[in-house]
mmCIF file of all heavy atoms in Angstrom:
data_model
loop_
_atom_site.group_PDB
_atom_site.id
_atom_site.type_symbol
_atom_site.label_atom_id
_atom_site.label_comp_id
_atom_site.label_asym_id
_atom_site.label_seq_id
_atom_site.Cartn_x
_atom_site.Cartn_y
_atom_site.Cartn_z
ATOM 1 N N THR A 2 14.492 -8.220 -0.395
ATOM 2 C CA THR A 2 14.252 -8.149 -1.820
ATOM 3 C C THR A 2 13.008 -7.327 -2.067
ATOM 4 O O THR A 2 12.099 -7.270 -1.248
ATOM 5 C CB THR A 2 14.053 -9.550 -2.428
ATOM 6 O OG1 THR A 2 12.873 -10.121 -1.896
ATOM 7 C CG2 THR A 2 15.260 -10.432 -2.154
ATOM 8 N N GLU A 3 12.959 -6.686 -3.238
ATOM 9 C CA GLU A 3 11.784 -5.885 -3.549
ATOM 10 C C GLU A 3 10.543 -6.758 -3.668
ATOM 11 O O GLU A 3 9.434 -6.336 -3.370
ATOM 12 C CB GLU A 3 12.036 -5.113 -4.841
ATOM 13 C CG GLU A 3 13.059 -4.000 -4.644
ATOM 14 C CD GLU A 3 13.383 -3.299 -5.936
ATOM 15 O OE1 GLU A 3 12.879 -3.729 -6.988
ATOM 16 O OE2 GLU A 3 14.140 -2.332 -5.903
ATOM 17 N N THR A 4 10.729 -8.025 -4.100
ATOM 18 C CA THR A 4 9.590 -8.908 -4.232
ATOM 19 C C THR A 4 8.851 -9.072 -2.908
ATOM 20 O O THR A 4 7.629 -9.129 -2.864
ATOM 21 C CB THR A 4 10.045 -10.283 -4.745
ATOM 22 O OG1 THR A 4 10.704 -10.114 -5.994
ATOM 23 C CG2 THR A 4 8.865 -11.220 -4.915
ATOM 24 N N SER A 5 9.614 -9.072 -1.801
ATOM 25 C CA SER A 5 8.991 -9.263 -0.494
ATOM 26 C C SER A 5 8.117 -8.099 -0.092
ATOM 27 O O SER A 5 7.331 -8.204 0.840
ATOM 28 C CB SER A 5 10.074 -9.477 0.570
ATOM 29 O OG SER A 5 10.822 -8.289 0.763
ATOM 30 N N LEU A 6 8.239 -6.971 -0.795
ATOM 31 C CA LEU A 6 7.480 -5.780 -0.442
ATOM 32 C C LEU A 6 6.187 -5.657 -1.228
ATOM 33 O O LEU A 6 5.401 -4.758 -0.987
ATOM 34 C CB LEU A 6 8.335 -4.530 -0.685
ATOM 35 C CG LEU A 6 9.580 -4.406 0.180
ATOM 36 C CD1 LEU A 6 10.382 -3.196 -0.270
ATOM 37 C CD2 LEU A 6 9.221 -4.287 1.640
ATOM 38 N N LYS A 7 5.946 -6.538 -2.176
ATOM 39 C CA LYS A 7 4.740 -6.399 -2.987
ATOM 40 C C LYS A 7 3.504 -6.715 -2.159
ATOM 41 O O LYS A 7 3.411 -7.790 -1.567
ATOM 42 C CB LYS A 7 4.785 -7.366 -4.163
ATOM 43 C CG LYS A 7 5.888 -7.076 -5.170
ATOM 44 C CD LYS A 7 5.852 -8.120 -6.265
ATOM 45 C CE LYS A 7 6.989 -7.919 -7.246
ATOM 46 N NZ LYS A 7 6.982 -8.990 -8.279
ATOM 47 N N PRO A 8 2.521 -5.798 -2.087
ATOM 48 C CA PRO A 8 1.286 -6.133 -1.397
ATOM 49 C C PRO A 8 0.520 -7.187 -2.165
ATOM 50 O O PRO A 8 0.430 -7.138 -3.378
ATOM 51 C CB PRO A 8 0.524 -4.801 -1.354
ATOM 52 C CG PRO A 8 1.154 -3.941 -2.372
ATOM 53 C CD PRO A 8 2.529 -4.455 -2.652
ATOM 54 N N SER A 9 -0.024 -8.153 -1.467
ATOM 55 C CA SER A 9 -0.720 -9.257 -2.099
ATOM 56 C C SER A 9 -1.885 -8.762 -2.947
ATOM 57 O O SER A 9 -2.722 -7.994 -2.500
ATOM 58 C CB SER A 9 -1.232 -10.227 -1.033
ATOM 59 O OG SER A 9 -1.994 -11.256 -1.618
ATOM 60 N N GLY A 10 -1.925 -9.204 -4.203
ATOM 61 C CA GLY A 10 -3.029 -8.858 -5.090
ATOM 62 C C GLY A 10 -2.992 -7.443 -5.611
ATOM 63 O O GLY A 10 -3.888 -7.002 -6.303
ATOM 64 N N GLU A 11 -1.938 -6.685 -5.299
ATOM 65 C CA GLU A 11 -1.871 -5.275 -5.671
ATOM 66 C C GLU A 11 -1.145 -5.133 -7.000
ATOM 67 O O GLU A 11 -0.135 -5.787 -7.247
ATOM 68 C CB GLU A 11 -1.114 -4.530 -4.576
ATOM 69 C CG GLU A 11 -1.225 -3.022 -4.615
ATOM 70 C CD GLU A 11 -2.651 -2.542 -4.538
ATOM 71 O OE1 GLU A 11 -3.311 -2.778 -3.534
ATOM 72 O OE2 GLU A 11 -3.092 -1.927 -5.507
ATOM 73 N N THR A 12 -1.626 -4.324 -7.895
ATOM 74 C CA THR A 12 -0.987 -4.123 -9.188
ATOM 75 C C THR A 12 -0.553 -2.682 -9.390
ATOM 76 O O THR A 12 -0.194 -2.285 -10.487
ATOM 77 C CB THR A 12 -1.949 -4.515 -10.327
ATOM 78 O OG1 THR A 12 -3.138 -3.731 -10.239
ATOM 79 C CG2 THR A 12 -2.302 -5.987 -10.250
ATOM 80 N N GLY A 13 -0.536 -1.891 -8.355
ATOM 81 C CA GLY A 13 -0.188 -0.492 -8.500
ATOM 82 C C GLY A 13 -1.429 0.369 -8.478
ATOM 83 O O GLY A 13 -2.527 -0.080 -8.775
ATOM 84 N N ARG A 14 -1.280 1.649 -8.164
ATOM 85 C CA ARG A 14 -2.413 2.555 -8.047
ATOM 86 C C ARG A 14 -2.836 2.995 -9.432
ATOM 87 O O ARG A 14 -2.232 3.860 -10.039
ATOM 88 C CB ARG A 14 -2.000 3.769 -7.207
ATOM 89 C CG ARG A 14 -3.173 4.604 -6.766
ATOM 90 C CD ARG A 14 -3.988 3.841 -5.757
ATOM 91 N NE ARG A 14 -3.128 3.496 -4.646
ATOM 92 C CZ ARG A 14 -3.024 4.211 -3.527
ATOM 93 N NH1 ARG A 14 -3.754 5.266 -3.360
ATOM 94 N NH2 ARG A 14 -2.221 3.834 -2.564
ATOM 95 N N HIS A 21 -9.861 2.073 -4.756
ATOM 96 C CA HIS A 21 -8.783 2.919 -4.248
ATOM 97 C C HIS A 21 -9.160 4.394 -4.169
ATOM 98 O O HIS A 21 -8.381 5.192 -3.660
ATOM 99 C CB HIS A 21 -7.548 2.806 -5.147
ATOM 100 C CG HIS A 21 -6.809 1.518 -5.010
ATOM 101 N ND1 HIS A 21 -6.442 0.996 -3.802
ATOM 102 C CD2 HIS A 21 -6.371 0.649 -5.950
ATOM 103 C CE1 HIS A 21 -5.800 -0.140 -3.994
ATOM 104 N NE2 HIS A 21 -5.752 -0.377 -5.275
ATOM 105 N N THR A 61 -5.564 6.327 0.163
ATOM 106 C CA THR A 61 -4.379 6.139 0.992
ATOM 107 C C THR A 61 -3.179 6.809 0.353
ATOM 108 O O THR A 61 -3.112 6.942 -0.878
ATOM 109 C CB THR A 61 -4.059 4.645 1.180
ATOM 110 O OG1 THR A 61 -3.787 4.063 -0.104
ATOM 111 C CG2 THR A 61 -5.213 3.912 1.841
ATOM 112 N N PRO A 62 -2.192 7.217 1.151
ATOM 113 C CA PRO A 62 -0.927 7.628 0.566
ATOM 114 C C PRO A 62 -0.245 6.433 -0.098
ATOM 115 O O PRO A 62 -0.567 5.275 0.200
ATOM 116 C CB PRO A 62 -0.121 8.130 1.776
ATOM 117 C CG PRO A 62 -0.740 7.464 2.950
ATOM 118 C CD PRO A 62 -2.186 7.279 2.624
ATOM 119 N N VAL A 63 0.654 6.692 -1.008
ATOM 120 C CA VAL A 63 1.389 5.617 -1.675
ATOM 121 C C VAL A 63 2.221 4.870 -0.637
ATOM 122 O O VAL A 63 2.953 5.474 0.148
ATOM 123 C CB VAL A 63 2.275 6.177 -2.796
ATOM 124 C CG1 VAL A 63 3.157 5.086 -3.391
ATOM 125 C CG2 VAL A 63 1.408 6.804 -3.892
ATOM 126 N N SER A 64 2.096 3.568 -0.643
ATOM 127 C CA SER A 64 2.759 2.735 0.357
ATOM 128 C C SER A 64 4.156 2.318 -0.094
ATOM 129 O O SER A 64 4.515 2.423 -1.283
ATOM 130 C CB SER A 64 1.938 1.484 0.645
ATOM 131 O OG SER A 64 1.959 0.618 -0.481
ATOM 132 N N VAL A 65 4.931 1.818 0.848
ATOM 133 C CA VAL A 65 6.242 1.257 0.530
ATOM 134 C C VAL A 65 6.085 0.132 -0.492
ATOM 135 O O VAL A 65 6.858 0.031 -1.459
ATOM 136 C CB VAL A 65 6.927 0.742 1.810
ATOM 137 C CG1 VAL A 65 8.155 -0.101 1.481
ATOM 138 C CG2 VAL A 65 7.323 1.915 2.714
ATOM 139 N N GLY A 66 5.093 -0.735 -0.291
ATOM 140 C CA GLY A 66 4.880 -1.841 -1.208
ATOM 141 C C GLY A 66 4.554 -1.389 -2.616
ATOM 142 O O GLY A 66 5.070 -1.929 -3.596
ATOM 143 N N GLU A 67 3.697 -0.374 -2.742
ATOM 144 C CA GLU A 67 3.356 0.155 -4.062
ATOM 145 C C GLU A 67 4.571 0.791 -4.713
ATOM 146 O O GLU A 67 4.808 0.629 -5.914
ATOM 147 C CB GLU A 67 2.225 1.171 -3.932
ATOM 148 C CG GLU A 67 0.882 0.554 -3.613
ATOM 149 C CD GLU A 67 -0.182 1.589 -3.360
ATOM 150 O OE1 GLU A 67 0.076 2.579 -2.653
ATOM 151 O OE2 GLU A 67 -1.296 1.394 -3.867
ATOM 152 N N PHE A 68 5.344 1.532 -3.930
ATOM 153 C CA PHE A 68 6.509 2.199 -4.491
ATOM 154 C C PHE A 68 7.549 1.166 -4.918
ATOM 155 O O PHE A 68 8.234 1.344 -5.942
ATOM 156 C CB PHE A 68 7.100 3.168 -3.474
ATOM 157 C CG PHE A 68 7.999 4.221 -4.084
ATOM 158 C CD1 PHE A 68 7.452 5.299 -4.759
ATOM 159 C CD2 PHE A 68 9.373 4.130 -3.987
ATOM 160 C CE1 PHE A 68 8.261 6.272 -5.318
ATOM 161 C CE2 PHE A 68 10.198 5.090 -4.540
ATOM 162 C CZ PHE A 68 9.642 6.168 -5.219
ATOM 163 N N ALA A 69 7.680 0.084 -4.165
ATOM 164 C CA ALA A 69 8.607 -0.980 -4.535
ATOM 165 C C ALA A 69 8.230 -1.586 -5.883
ATOM 166 O O ALA A 69 9.092 -1.902 -6.712
ATOM 167 C CB ALA A 69 8.631 -2.059 -3.451
ATOM 168 N N ARG A 70 6.927 -1.761 -6.125
ATOM 169 C CA ARG A 70 6.474 -2.289 -7.406
ATOM 170 C C ARG A 70 6.830 -1.330 -8.540
ATOM 171 O O ARG A 70 7.236 -1.762 -9.634
ATOM 172 C CB ARG A 70 4.964 -2.538 -7.360
ATOM 173 C CG ARG A 70 4.424 -3.239 -8.590
ATOM 174 C CD ARG A 70 2.937 -3.556 -8.445
ATOM 175 N NE ARG A 70 2.722 -4.538 -7.408
ATOM 176 C CZ ARG A 70 2.859 -5.846 -7.592
ATOM 177 N NH1 ARG A 70 3.234 -6.316 -8.761
ATOM 178 N NH2 ARG A 70 2.613 -6.693 -6.603
ATOM 179 N N PHE A 71 6.690 -0.049 -8.313
ATOM 180 C CA PHE A 71 7.092 0.962 -9.293
ATOM 181 C C PHE A 71 8.587 0.860 -9.579
ATOM 182 O O PHE A 71 9.012 0.861 -10.745
ATOM 183 C CB PHE A 71 6.718 2.347 -8.755
ATOM 184 C CG PHE A 71 7.485 3.494 -9.336
ATOM 185 C CD1 PHE A 71 7.404 3.816 -10.683
ATOM 186 C CD2 PHE A 71 8.290 4.288 -8.517
ATOM 187 C CE1 PHE A 71 8.109 4.893 -11.205
ATOM 188 C CE2 PHE A 71 8.988 5.362 -9.026
ATOM 189 C CZ PHE A 71 8.906 5.662 -10.375
ATOM 190 N N GLU A 73 10.556 -1.707 -9.178
ATOM 191 C CA GLU A 73 10.823 -2.963 -9.867
ATOM 192 C C GLU A 73 10.443 -2.870 -11.344
ATOM 193 O O GLU A 73 11.138 -3.400 -12.214
ATOM 194 C CB GLU A 73 10.052 -4.097 -9.206
ATOM 195 C CG GLU A 73 10.323 -5.454 -9.843
ATOM 196 C CD GLU A 73 9.507 -6.562 -9.212
ATOM 197 O OE1 GLU A 73 8.298 -6.360 -8.990
ATOM 198 O OE2 GLU A 73 10.088 -7.624 -8.931
ATOM 199 N N ALA A 124 11.674 -3.968 5.401
ATOM 200 C CA ALA A 124 11.217 -5.341 5.190
ATOM 201 C C ALA A 124 9.845 -5.592 5.796
ATOM 202 O O ALA A 124 9.087 -6.409 5.279
ATOM 203 C CB ALA A 124 12.235 -6.325 5.762
ATOM 204 N N LYS A 126 7.542 -3.081 6.372
ATOM 205 C CA LYS A 126 6.795 -1.834 6.227
ATOM 206 C C LYS A 126 6.081 -1.707 4.889
ATOM 207 O O LYS A 126 5.841 -0.600 4.419
ATOM 208 C CB LYS A 126 7.740 -0.637 6.422
ATOM 209 C CG LYS A 126 8.203 -0.441 7.862
ATOM 210 C CD LYS A 126 8.946 0.867 8.004
ATOM 211 C CE LYS A 126 9.215 1.197 9.473
ATOM 212 N NZ LYS A 126 9.865 2.525 9.618
ATOM 213 N N ALA A 127 5.719 -2.799 4.282
ATOM 214 C CA ALA A 127 5.032 -2.717 2.993
ATOM 215 C C ALA A 127 3.757 -1.903 3.067
ATOM 216 O O ALA A 127 3.359 -1.259 2.086
ATOM 217 C CB ALA A 127 4.732 -4.115 2.459
ATOM 218 N N ASP A 128 3.086 -1.907 4.233
ATOM 219 C CA ASP A 128 1.823 -1.186 4.400
ATOM 220 C C ASP A 128 1.992 0.167 5.062
ATOM 221 O O ASP A 128 1.013 0.791 5.468
ATOM 222 C CB ASP A 128 0.816 -2.032 5.180
ATOM 223 C CG ASP A 128 1.311 -2.429 6.568
ATOM 224 O OD1 ASP A 128 2.508 -2.216 6.870
ATOM 225 O OD2 ASP A 128 0.498 -2.958 7.352
ATOM 226 N N HIS A 129 3.223 0.652 5.180
ATOM 227 C CA HIS A 129 3.486 2.005 5.674
ATOM 228 C C HIS A 129 3.582 2.957 4.480
ATOM 229 O O HIS A 129 3.882 2.532 3.361
ATOM 230 C CB HIS A 129 4.812 2.049 6.436
ATOM 231 C CG HIS A 129 4.775 1.380 7.770
ATOM 232 N ND1 HIS A 129 5.287 1.965 8.911
ATOM 233 C CD2 HIS A 129 4.313 0.168 8.171
ATOM 234 C CE1 HIS A 129 5.143 1.149 9.938
ATOM 235 N NE2 HIS A 129 4.556 0.049 9.511
ATOM 236 N N TYR A 142 6.435 8.518 -10.279
ATOM 237 C CA TYR A 142 5.452 7.501 -9.922
ATOM 238 C C TYR A 142 4.117 7.789 -10.607
ATOM 239 O O TYR A 142 3.454 6.874 -11.105
ATOM 240 C CB TYR A 142 5.279 7.447 -8.411
ATOM 241 C CG TYR A 142 4.279 6.397 -7.953
ATOM 242 C CD1 TYR A 142 4.710 5.132 -7.589
ATOM 243 C CD2 TYR A 142 2.917 6.675 -7.906
ATOM 244 C CE1 TYR A 142 3.793 4.163 -7.186
ATOM 245 C CE2 TYR A 142 1.996 5.718 -7.509
ATOM 246 C CZ TYR A 142 2.445 4.464 -7.148
ATOM 247 O OH TYR A 142 1.534 3.510 -6.754
ATOM 248 N N TRP A 145 4.128 6.758 -14.209
ATOM 249 C CA TRP A 145 4.048 5.303 -14.335
ATOM 250 C C TRP A 145 2.633 4.787 -14.080
ATOM 251 O O TRP A 145 2.160 3.873 -14.758
ATOM 252 C CB TRP A 145 5.016 4.665 -13.347
ATOM 253 C CG TRP A 145 4.905 3.185 -13.198
ATOM 254 C CD1 TRP A 145 5.357 2.221 -14.059
ATOM 255 C CD2 TRP A 145 4.300 2.486 -12.102
ATOM 256 N NE1 TRP A 145 5.073 0.963 -13.569
ATOM 257 C CE2 TRP A 145 4.417 1.099 -12.365
ATOM 258 C CE3 TRP A 145 3.660 2.898 -10.915
ATOM 259 C CZ2 TRP A 145 3.926 0.122 -11.495
ATOM 260 C CZ3 TRP A 145 3.177 1.929 -10.048
ATOM 261 C CH2 TRP A 145 3.322 0.563 -10.340
ATOM 262 N N ILE A 192 -0.634 2.314 7.218
ATOM 263 C CA ILE A 192 -1.666 3.186 6.665
ATOM 264 C C ILE A 192 -3.035 2.764 7.187
ATOM 265 O O ILE A 192 -3.379 1.580 7.177
ATOM 266 C CB ILE A 192 -1.639 3.121 5.130
ATOM 267 C CG1 ILE A 192 -0.329 3.730 4.605
ATOM 268 C CG2 ILE A 192 -2.839 3.852 4.528
ATOM 269 C CD1 ILE A 192 -0.073 3.456 3.139
#
Side-chain angles (χ1 to χ4, degrees):
T2 65
E3 289 176 356
T4 302
S5 68
L6 296 175
K7 294 179 183 177
S9 176
E11 194 58 63
T12 59
R14 193 69 58 95
H21 287 311
T61 62
V63 174
S64 69
V65 168
E67 288 174 316
F68 199 76
R70 187 176 293 278
F71 158 63
E73 182 182 45
K126 289 189 170 184
D128 59 350
H129 288 227
Y142 181 94
W145 171 76
I192 293 168

